[in-house]
Amino acid sequence: MQSTGTGTTRGLGLLAIVALAWVVVGGLVATPRDVVQGESVRIMYVHVPTAWVAYLAFVVTAVASAGFLRGRSRSLGFDRVAGASAEVGVLFMGLTLVTGSLWGRLTWGEFWQWDPRLTTTAFLFVTYVGYLAVRGLDGAPEQRARRAAVVALLAVLEIPLVHFSVVLWRSLHQRASVLDPGGDVRMDGLMLFTLFVGVVAFTALYAWLVLHRSRVAALAELAGRGELARAVAARRAEAGA
Amino acid sequence: MLRVVDFRDVVATLDGWPALAGLSCAVERGEIVHVVGPNGAGKSTFLRACAGLVPVRGGSASVLGVDLVRDRAAARGRVGLLAHANGLYLDLTAREHAAFWARAVGAAAGDADLALAEAGVAGSLADRRVGRMSAGERRRVALAVLLVRRAELWLLDEPHAGLDAASRDALDATLRRARDAGATIVLASHEAERASAVATRTLRIAGGAAA
Amino acid sequence: MSGRATGRAGLVRAVASRDLRAEARGRVVTNQIVPFAGLVMVTFAFALDREDVLSRAAGGLLWLATTFSLFVLVQRAFALETADRALDALRVAGVDLGRVYLGKSIALMVQLFALECVLVPVAVVLYRVRLDAPGAVLLVTCMVSATAGLAFVGTLYGGLTVGGAGRETLLPLLVLPVVAPVLIAATRATESALRSGGAAVSEGWAWVGLLAVFAAAFGIAGTLAFGPLVDE
């Protein structure tokens, strides 16, 4: 039986575990509470990294989709990475929205703010759910890959437009107070370091997940090809050819 | 002389299942080939593969000199496929269809009228909406479209199905005229006697390969 | 073999006039979709109840009703293509799908604009708003540019979601996030035009600028993307 683990994934996995352990210890225990927000600032150690990874996943999907469309041979490898990144990205976007929502609730008493970053992230989330739905439509593999790649690139066009519109929209409503729970947090060295470790941890986790997921997809395709050869032989045998 | 269709050991899949499992055949210019075989043999898939609509997963396939494995969209425009549906708009008249396709392919407006006449769409029929036509009349309009497009290779899937005797005769006459004008025709049909009356050769397919 | 020697606009015009002619004969928009949109506007009044809320929200409600109608219009535009597999015929014929896209978008724009021309008086009457000359100019410009953006996006994703099990329901999910900027900008511009939100007319023109940029961006993107998206 084949495994999708290699030296790279084991290294990444180890890095992720170690870094996450630090974040847990550091985030929950070692770092001080914030002057203004108190203990609730600790959500930042999860929220900021997941937001970063969500946007990273979006960029990776877009780049992989562009790579797929540009390459002459239309190698499906790019398509697998795009799909894997989108699946993991949707997960992290969901986490970002949930943690951001909780943080807002603890800090400002509201689960939701119509601030541009949160709203755009919500749109990104829905757009990627749509992208995954398009990936699930029927058709030949190259056809599906090409369709998905085009939809991903259209999302690259759409998201900045959405963000810009929402920024303009919210600027009408003269909110002088900081719309971002993290805006007034003053960070000391340890907090900054823990945050940085958090970013590294979640990025490693993201890479680990994407590598495994795209390899699984590659194995599935190989299995499909093997099946095809058997199916061809079976069909010919049936016909007595 | 370049073969119009040249398939060698072609494997083509529909959703992963090998509808064509090693089909080898060749069609020369000016032939009218009758493709015959049981249900599920792969006749429709063969026609769609020639039209570049089905990806080729194995073997080599070329249509009108174009390598389908490398770029199956390149031969489109020179190929006409007429399957169970006719590709028409129910609210438009035959004349409007012919005029639209003439504009779409850059043909002269007069070609549209000629094509209608050759396909047997004459007089008041030309100005009737497709939605109000019988199956046979709609088929004639679809053939007129193929004529306007000056397709070099005609792929017809069960063209006689659902037509009355007069329409079938008209269809055969149109096919012969098209062949005389230089087109190559491949038609899949269950109706053995009907098809062999107009065909120059028969190709048997079973189990996704030539039988 | 006569080549694709038609002028650039030839195929686009042919597709647009074909779609519009089909509508003129079938009358689905006038008999079904316009009444539907009017009904949506009335239903908003039931849901929102208070007249001051209604007149302040008039701009937004107008564009919401238009967006919902867009889905139905797109389904209709592509139902024409799938009824007898006409789009397949275009594909097999190797016709330039980018131009087919432009033609269909233009036809959709015309129908959508006609719909909006009916909805504006309905809004004025039902939601008790008023329209003066400078506001009217702003409103019409807003309608033109918003309609273009909506039509370009609708036609693009409509091609993708047509004809197949479980596909049509995908259309709103894909289209709504993308047309959100149109909804935001068109509503603000309309509120300026109707003076309902206390906004000046001059602000409205800035939003119209955004609408124009959006329409141009998606017009170009759609022309390039439609073929690869729809091709088999």
Side-chain angles (χ1 to χ4, degrees):
Chain A
M1 194 181 74
Q2 220 167 331
S3 151
T4 55
T6 59
T8 317
T9 55
R10 289 192 197 105
L12 279 171
L14 199 56
L15 174 63
I17 292 177
V18 167
L20 277 171
W22 174 272
V23 170
V24 168
V25 169
L28 285 177
V29 177
T31 57
R33 44 196 293 216
D34 181 55
V35 171
V36 174
Q37 294 193 18
E39 302 291 349
S40 67
V41 77
R42 300 190 189 278
I43 297 188
M44 166 183 75
Y45 299 117
V46 175
H47 175 72
V48 172
T50 55
W52 150 257
V53 169
Y55 281 88
L56 174 67
F58 168 59
V59 168
V60 167
T61 299
V63 168
S65 297
F68 173 79
L69 289 173
R70 291 205 118 226
R72 262 168 221 285
S73 58
R74 295 283 171 91
S75 149
L76 284 176
F78 279 120
D79 173 65
R80 287 191 289 267
V81 170
S85 178
E87 287 178 7
V88 178
V90 162
L91 173 66
F92 278 95
M93 279 174 220
L95 277 175
T96 306
L97 289 170
V98 168
T99 52
S101 182
L102 284 174
W103 200 6
R105 171 76 172 128
L106 289 173
T107 313
W108 303 111
E110 298 294 337
F111 277 111
W112 184 261
Q113 299 269 30
W114 287 105
D115 85 301
R117 271 220 306 260
L118 207 53
T119 310
T120 305
T121 309
F123 267 92
L124 200 54
F125 179 72
V126 175
T127 304
Y128 270 70
V129 169
Y131 169 80
L132 289 175
V134 168
R135 283 189 74 87
L137 292 176
D138 58 321
E142 309 85 23
Q143 195 185 330
R144 292 160 68 182
R146 184 179 49 204
R147 234 174 5 211
V150 171
V151 171
L153 290 178
L154 286 172
V156 172
L157 176 62
E158 164 219 338
I159 291 296
L161 280 169
V162 168
H163 185 70
F164 186 62
S165 316
V166 176
V167 165
L168 278 180
W169 174 46
R170 294 323 292 173
S171 73
L172 292 177
H173 290 253
Q174 308 302 357
R175 288 266 189 99
S177 63
V178 173
L179 300 168
D180 157 27
D184 61 358
V185 174
R186 247 162 324 126
M187 311 252 266
D188 81 349
L190 193 57
M191 294 169 84
L192 210 48
F193 181 68
T194 307
L195 191 60
F196 179 69
V197 171
V199 169
V200 169
F202 279 89
T203 308
L205 181 61
Y206 161 79
W208 186 84
L209 283 169
V210 169
L211 277 174
H212 275 295
R213 180 67 187 93
S214 34
R215 283 179 193 167
V216 166
L219 285 178
E221 202 210 314
L222 266 177
R225 266 190 250 153
E227 263 176 48
L228 178 61
R230 277 193 301 273
V232 169
R235 186 144 153 74
R236 296 176 82 164
E238 247 173 54
Chain B
M1 185 58 145
L2 209 58
R3 285 177 168 166
V4 172
V5 174
D6 195 357
F7 275 28
R8 299 185 199 181
D9 264 333
V10 168
V11 174
T13 52
L14 287 180
D15 222 4
W17 182 74
L20 296 183
L23 173 66
S24 298
C25 68
V27 176
E28 311 284 347
R29 193 172 297 274
E31 286 195 278
I32 301 183
V33 176
H34 173 213
V35 177
V36 65
N39 284 338
K43 306 188 292 295
S44 298
T45 310
F46 169 57
L47 294 178
R48 290 174 67 79
C50 290
L53 292 177
V54 174
V56 172
R57 294 247 172 275
S60 77
S62 89
V63 168
L64 292 169
V66 171
D67 181 358
L68 290 182
V69 178
R70 238 173 357 126
D71 183 2
R72 55 188 169 93
R76 295 187 196 172
R78 298 160 68 191
V79 174
L81 175 66
L82 189 56
H84 309 287
N86 292 308
L88 304 173
Y89 296 93
L90 302 178
D91 285 317
L92 297 188
T93 68
R95 198 182 296 282
E96 285 162 352
H97 275 93
F100 169 77
W101 278 99
R103 276 170 94 175
V105 301
D111 288 357
D113 295 322
L114 274 174
L116 285 171
E118 271 192 46
V121 180
S124 63
L125 187 59
D127 292 306
R128 198 184 308 166
R129 294 194 208 173
V130 168
R132 297 187 185 150
M133 291 185 187
S134 70
E137 292 163 342
R138 292 187 196 185
R139 207 24 75 95
R140 287 189 223 173
V141 178
L143 284 172
V145 168
L146 282 182
L147 286 166
V148 172
R149 286 185 47 211
R150 305 242 186 94
E152 291 170 49
L153 172 62
W154 290 31
L155 303 162
L156 308 173
D157 201 347
E158 305 285 350
H160 296 107
L163 301 192
D164 60 17
S167 301
R168 290 178 187 194
D169 289 332
L171 178 80
D172 290 346
T174 308
L175 292 183
R176 285 196 195 93
R177 278 199 296 271
R179 191 268 310 266
D180 293 339
T184 308
I185 302 176
V186 177
L187 61 118
S189 180
H190 279 303
E191 320 233 351
E193 325 82 43
R194 191 83 223 184
S196 34
V198 74
T200 57
R201 179 159 72 92
T202 303
L203 169 66
R204 294 189 180 286
I205 294 188
Chain C
M1 166 85 191
S2 56
R4 322 247 167 284
T6 6
R8 283 194 170 280
L11 178 58
V12 174
R13 255 205 311 262
V15 172
S17 56
R18 180 203 68 195
D19 270 22
L20 288 173
R21 193 172 301 143
E23 169 51 32
R25 304 243 174 100
R27 297 201 186 288
V28 168
V29 174
T30 47
N31 295 353
Q32 295 177 18
I33 301 182
V34 169
F36 162 71
L39 202 53
V40 169
M41 302 275 282
V42 169
T43 312
F44 284 147
F46 297 157
L48 293 180
D49 194 31
R50 291 178 42 182
E51 284 185 24
D52 56 334
V53 170
L54 276 178
S55 56
R56 283 190 57 193
L61 297 177
L62 175 70
W63 288 103
L64 269 180
T66 305
T67 307
F68 293 154
S69 307
L70 174 69
F71 298 139
V72 187
L73 274 170
V74 168
Q75 307 277 26
R76 157 70 178 160
F78 282 94
L80 281 177
E81 302 289 353
T82 50
D84 203 14
R85 311 198 70 171
L87 187 60
D88 277 10
L90 281 173
R91 232 195 316 222
V92 172
V95 168
D96 180 2
L97 288 172
R99 298 202 196 140
V100 172
Y101 165 79
L102 280 176
K104 287 197 83 70
S105 300
I106 291 173
L108 189 61
M109 254 182 256
V110 170
Q111 294 169 56
L112 198 56
F113 190 79
L115 178 82
E116 288 160 23
C117 290
V118 171
L119 290 185
V120 166
V122 170
V124 167
V125 165
L126 285 183
Y127 304 150
R128 311 273 177 84
V129 288
R130 277 180 318 245
L131 195 55
D132 61 10
V137 174
L138 173 61
L139 185 59
V140 170
T141 318
C142 164
M143 281 162 66
V144 170
S145 36
T147 306
L150 289 174
F152 281 138
V153 174
T155 309
L156 179 58
Y157 288 98
L160 174 61
T161 54
V162 72
R167 281 204 192 197
E168 293 86 7
T169 39
L170 205 45
L171 182 68
L173 174 63
L174 291 175
V175 168
L176 268 178
V178 180
V179 298
V182 175
L183 210 51
I184 293 175
T187 305
R188 303 283 95 66
T190 306
E191 281 172 1
S192 293
L194 297 174
R195 313 299 166 80
S196 47
V201 172
S202 54
E203 276 181 40
W205 286 104
W207 289 107
V208 172
L210 177 59
L211 287 173
V213 167
F214 183 93
F218 271 94
I220 296 173
T223 310
L224 296 172
F226 187 73
L229 210 55
V230 155
D231 212 350
E232 213 178 303

